Amino acid sequence: MSGIDVVVRRARAAAQERPVRALALHGLAATGTSWNAYGQHAAPDVELWTAELPWGQVGAPAWSLPGGDPADWIGAAMDKVPGGVDVLIAHSYSALLALEHLAAAPPQARPGALVVVSPFHRRDPADFRWDTAQHYLSIFQDVFDEALGLAATRPLDPGMRQDMALLVRDRVGPYGWFRFYGSYLRSPFLDTAALDLPVLAVAGRDDRFAPPEDATALVGTLPRGRLCLLEGCGHFPMAERPREFADAVHAFVSESVTSAGVS
């Protein structure tokens, strides 16, 4: 993994001198453009940064091979934001990794607040059974199909979209799936007590991939957790409900970061 770089770019400047620097991390097989709709609705004081991570569309497939810890890339991305990160926003697989990374990081290396979007989390190892693994194997390509539909500028033929989703699935490959599922399997062992920073979990009530019960379970274990469930929303709240998503993030940031002051 040491030979794979992470690229961070400023996606939107703030409209005031003292911005709130937000770094947004995409999920598996996605890109920084996942946050375009949020950037259009974000509060004026938000300076939005996005990262192109190894598990994204433009990453090298070798990221998923044995060796190293993908969570290290969360810290690598944060280190590249000039002035530091006030708010870290992470979606799906990146949310899993962000929670792992920040739980182990010293307080001075953490952002002021964390937003996890469509997080995967289970509280008890017994919550994982053989049929759980089978479920995630069988629907793995469906999440890519859903993402393609949201990203398309015009309706795609369903058959063509499914074929494209299968190509994305095959590019991620079994090792990529195993990296995702391995992180999910570790979630009951996450040291949530160590995550003593404001955390907002945003989930869609209709999410078939990261069920809203996961977000509820996670928030119930966090010292300073807060939950936002969006109605009529699936796995991509920032794209499906960008206004409601931005409003929820803005209210959270205003209370937990802006009121405390930013550097």
Side-chain angles (χ1 to χ4, degrees), residues 171-187:
R171 186 175 187 277
V172 173
Y175 283 99
W177 181 88
F178 185 78
R179 284 286 193 180
F180 151 71
Y181 199 63
S183 293
Y184 198 6
L185 287 171
R186 290 194 300 274
S187 64

Side-chain angles (χ1 to χ4, degrees), residues 10-71:
R10 190 173 72 171
R12 197 196 81 159
Q16 60 185 57
E17 287 186 13
R18 298 194 63 189
V20 174
R21 290 180 292 272
L23 173 62
L25 307 178
H26 62 70
L28 194 62
T31 72
T33 61
S34 303
W35 304 100
N36 284 356
Y38 166 61
Q40 294 171 8
H41 294 281
D45 61 345
V46 171
E47 179 180 281
L48 180 62
W49 292 76
T50 61
E52 298 299 338
L53 296 158
W55 47 88
Q57 278 187 20
V58 298
W63 76 270
S64 63
L65 299 180
D69 183 356

Side-chain angles (χ1 to χ4, degrees), residues 17-170:
E17 287 186 13
R18 298 194 63 189
V20 174
R21 290 180 292 272
L23 173 62
L25 307 178
H26 62 70
L28 194 62
T31 72
T33 61
S34 303
W35 304 100
N36 284 356
Y38 166 61
Q40 294 171 8
H41 294 281
D45 61 345
V46 171
E47 179 180 281
L48 180 62
W49 292 76
T50 61
E52 298 299 338
L53 296 158
W55 47 88
Q57 278 187 20
V58 298
W63 76 270
S64 63
L65 299 180
D69 183 356
D72 291 343
W73 292 107
I74 304 299
M78 292 175 61
D79 288 344
K80 287 202 169 185
V81 176
V85 177
D86 298 309
V87 183
L88 182 65
I89 308 174
H91 177 242
S92 193
Y93 177 57
S94 284
L96 272 169
L97 298 181
L99 289 163
E100 287 186 348
H101 175 74
L102 295 180
Q108 64 271 22
R110 295 173 181 167
L114 171 66
V115 179
V116 286
V117 188
S118 306
F120 295 88
H121 184 79
R122 302 207 177 183
R123 296 179 69 167
D124 189 334
D127 291 337
F128 291 99
R129 301 176 299 275
W130 285 114
D131 61 349
T132 313
Q134 180 59 46
H135 169 73
Y136 280 98
L137 276 171
S138 65
I139 69 166
F140 195 47
Q141 72 273 13
D142 292 352
V143 69
F144 306 132
D145 181 84
E146 188 173 304
L148 288 165
L150 287 168
T153 56
R154 58 183 177 81
L156 295 173
D157 174 78
M160 178 182 295
R161 195 171 89 181
Q162 185 178 54
D163 289 344
M164 293 169 65
L166 289 173
L167 288 172
V168 175
R169 181 204 65 179
D170 291 346

